[in-house]
Short mmCIF file of all heavy atoms in Angstrom, two decimals:
data_model
loop_
_atom_site.label_atom_id
_atom_site.label_comp_id
_atom_site.label_asym_id
_atom_site.label_seq_id
_atom_site.Cartn_x
_atom_site.Cartn_y
_atom_site.Cartn_z
N GLY A 707 0.82 -1.18 -0.01
CA GLY A 707 0.02 0.02 0.01
C GLY A 707 0.72 1.29 -0.03
O GLY A 707 0.50 2.20 -0.79
N ALA A 708 1.91 1.31 0.82
CA ALA A 708 2.82 2.38 0.94
C ALA A 708 3.52 2.65 -0.49
O ALA A 708 3.61 3.74 -0.99
CB ALA A 708 3.82 2.24 1.99
N VAL A 709 3.90 1.50 -1.16
CA VAL A 709 4.61 1.76 -2.45
C VAL A 709 3.60 2.11 -3.50
O VAL A 709 4.02 2.99 -4.34
CB VAL A 709 5.21 0.31 -2.80
CG1 VAL A 709 5.77 0.38 -4.26
CG2 VAL A 709 6.42 -0.04 -1.89
N THR A 710 2.36 1.55 -3.37
CA THR A 710 1.35 2.11 -4.39
C THR A 710 1.04 3.56 -4.29
O THR A 710 0.94 4.31 -5.26
CB THR A 710 0.04 1.26 -4.11
OG1 THR A 710 0.29 -0.10 -4.30
CG2 THR A 710 -1.03 1.72 -5.10
N VAL A 711 0.97 4.03 -3.00
CA VAL A 711 0.80 5.45 -2.72
C VAL A 711 1.87 6.24 -3.22
O VAL A 711 1.78 7.27 -3.85
CB VAL A 711 0.61 5.71 -1.19
CG1 VAL A 711 0.77 7.28 -0.84
CG2 VAL A 711 -0.71 5.13 -0.69
N LEU A 712 3.15 5.66 -3.13
CA LEU A 712 4.30 6.36 -3.60
C LEU A 712 4.33 6.53 -5.18
O LEU A 712 4.55 7.58 -5.72
CB LEU A 712 5.60 5.58 -3.19
CG LEU A 712 6.95 6.03 -3.89
CD1 LEU A 712 7.43 7.42 -3.51
CD2 LEU A 712 8.04 4.92 -3.50
N LEU A 713 4.10 5.38 -5.88
CA LEU A 713 4.11 5.34 -7.30
C LEU A 713 2.97 6.10 -7.97
O LEU A 713 3.11 6.77 -9.07
CB LEU A 713 4.04 3.93 -7.78
CG LEU A 713 5.35 3.12 -7.41
CD1 LEU A 713 5.13 1.62 -7.90
CD2 LEU A 713 6.58 3.68 -7.97
N PHE A 714 1.67 6.16 -7.30
CA PHE A 714 0.57 6.77 -7.90
C PHE A 714 0.19 7.95 -7.15
O PHE A 714 -1.09 8.43 -7.34
CB PHE A 714 -0.54 5.74 -8.00
CG PHE A 714 -0.29 4.53 -8.93
CD1 PHE A 714 0.35 3.47 -8.37
CD2 PHE A 714 -0.50 4.70 -10.31
CE1 PHE A 714 0.63 2.36 -9.23
CE2 PHE A 714 -0.30 3.56 -11.12
CZ PHE A 714 0.30 2.46 -10.65
N THR A 715 1.06 8.68 -6.50
CA THR A 715 0.69 9.91 -5.77
C THR A 715 0.40 10.90 -6.85
O THR A 715 1.09 11.18 -7.78
CB THR A 715 1.94 10.43 -4.98
OG1 THR A 715 2.10 9.51 -3.89
CG2 THR A 715 1.69 11.79 -4.39
N PRO A 716 -0.77 11.75 -6.69
CA PRO A 716 -1.09 12.75 -7.62
C PRO A 716 -0.01 13.79 -7.70
O PRO A 716 0.53 14.17 -6.70
CB PRO A 716 -2.36 13.26 -7.06
CG PRO A 716 -2.93 12.25 -6.23
CD PRO A 716 -1.64 11.48 -5.63
N HIS A 717 0.34 14.20 -8.90
CA HIS A 717 1.16 15.36 -9.06
C HIS A 717 0.55 16.70 -8.66
O HIS A 717 -0.62 16.80 -8.72
CB HIS A 717 1.71 15.47 -10.50
CG HIS A 717 2.48 14.12 -10.96
ND1 HIS A 717 3.71 13.96 -10.46
CD2 HIS A 717 2.18 13.18 -11.79
CE1 HIS A 717 4.18 12.80 -11.01
NE2 HIS A 717 3.21 12.28 -11.85
N ALA A 718 1.44 17.61 -8.21
CA ALA A 718 0.83 18.83 -7.86
C ALA A 718 0.23 19.49 -9.02
O ALA A 718 0.41 19.21 -10.17
CB ALA A 718 2.02 19.75 -7.32
N ALA A 719 -0.97 20.38 -8.69
CA ALA A 719 -1.58 21.06 -9.84
C ALA A 719 -0.57 21.82 -10.62
O ALA A 719 0.08 22.65 -10.13
CB ALA A 719 -2.59 21.99 -9.24
N GLN A 720 -0.26 21.34 -11.85
CA GLN A 720 0.76 21.70 -12.66
C GLN A 720 0.59 23.16 -13.22
O GLN A 720 0.24 23.37 -14.38
CB GLN A 720 1.10 20.75 -13.82
CG GLN A 720 1.55 19.34 -13.34
CD GLN A 720 2.95 19.45 -12.63
OE1 GLN A 720 3.76 20.29 -12.99
NE2 GLN A 720 3.16 18.54 -11.76
N LYS A 721 0.92 24.10 -12.34
CA LYS A 721 0.95 25.58 -12.82
C LYS A 721 2.36 25.64 -13.59
O LYS A 721 2.36 26.59 -14.34
CB LYS A 721 0.94 26.50 -11.67
CG LYS A 721 -0.45 26.48 -10.95
CD LYS A 721 -0.42 27.43 -9.82
CE LYS A 721 -1.73 27.37 -9.11
NZ LYS A 721 -1.83 28.36 -7.88
N VAL A 722 3.30 24.82 -13.30
CA VAL A 722 4.66 24.88 -13.86
C VAL A 722 5.04 23.42 -14.37
O VAL A 722 4.85 22.58 -13.65
CB VAL A 722 5.73 25.46 -12.92
CG1 VAL A 722 7.04 25.44 -13.62
CG2 VAL A 722 5.31 26.81 -12.30
N THR A 723 5.37 23.42 -15.62
CA THR A 723 5.89 22.14 -16.12
C THR A 723 7.10 22.37 -16.94
O THR A 723 7.44 23.42 -17.44
CB THR A 723 4.84 21.57 -17.15
OG1 THR A 723 4.61 22.47 -18.26
CG2 THR A 723 3.63 21.22 -16.42
N VAL A 724 8.05 21.29 -16.95
CA VAL A 724 9.30 21.43 -17.54
C VAL A 724 9.09 21.14 -19.03
O VAL A 724 8.47 20.22 -19.46
CB VAL A 724 10.33 20.40 -17.01
CG1 VAL A 724 11.55 20.44 -17.68
CG2 VAL A 724 10.52 20.65 -15.51
N ASP A 725 9.66 22.08 -19.84
CA ASP A 725 9.58 21.93 -21.36
C ASP A 725 10.92 21.31 -21.74
O ASP A 725 10.99 20.40 -22.51
CB ASP A 725 9.40 23.14 -22.05
CG ASP A 725 9.44 23.10 -23.42
OD1 ASP A 725 8.72 22.25 -24.03
OD2 ASP A 725 10.32 23.75 -24.10
N SER A 726 12.03 21.70 -21.28
CA SER A 726 13.33 21.12 -21.54
C SER A 726 14.26 21.58 -20.52
O SER A 726 14.22 22.52 -19.90
CB SER A 726 13.78 21.63 -23.03
OG SER A 726 14.10 23.06 -22.93
N LEU A 727 15.32 20.71 -20.34
CA LEU A 727 16.42 20.88 -19.50
C LEU A 727 17.59 20.37 -20.03
O LEU A 727 17.92 19.24 -20.27
CB LEU A 727 16.15 20.11 -18.14
CG LEU A 727 17.30 20.22 -17.18
CD1 LEU A 727 17.51 21.67 -16.66
CD2 LEU A 727 16.99 19.30 -15.88
N THR A 728 18.51 21.41 -20.47
CA THR A 728 19.73 21.06 -21.09
C THR A 728 20.86 21.81 -20.56
O THR A 728 20.89 23.03 -20.63
CB THR A 728 19.66 21.44 -22.66
OG1 THR A 728 19.31 22.76 -22.81
CG2 THR A 728 18.61 20.50 -23.31
N GLY A 729 21.72 21.09 -19.83
CA GLY A 729 22.89 21.83 -19.27
C GLY A 729 22.47 22.80 -18.18
O GLY A 729 21.94 22.38 -17.19
N MET A 730 22.75 23.97 -18.47
CA MET A 730 22.45 25.06 -17.38
C MET A 730 21.24 25.84 -17.80
O MET A 730 21.05 26.90 -17.21
CB MET A 730 23.72 25.94 -17.36
CG MET A 730 24.13 26.67 -18.61
SD MET A 730 25.76 27.52 -18.56
CE MET A 730 26.00 28.13 -20.17
N LYS A 731 20.51 25.47 -18.78
CA LYS A 731 19.41 26.28 -19.12
C LYS A 731 18.06 25.54 -18.97
O LYS A 731 17.96 24.24 -19.42
CB LYS A 731 19.52 26.56 -20.61
CG LYS A 731 18.31 27.44 -21.20
CD LYS A 731 18.50 27.65 -22.68
CE LYS A 731 17.31 28.53 -23.29
NZ LYS A 731 17.62 28.81 -24.67
#
């Protein structure tokens, strides 16, 4: 049950999402 909660925890209301992450940008 604890592992299931871990794997399927709802993500935060995504006001911010990652588009790309390359190096320092």
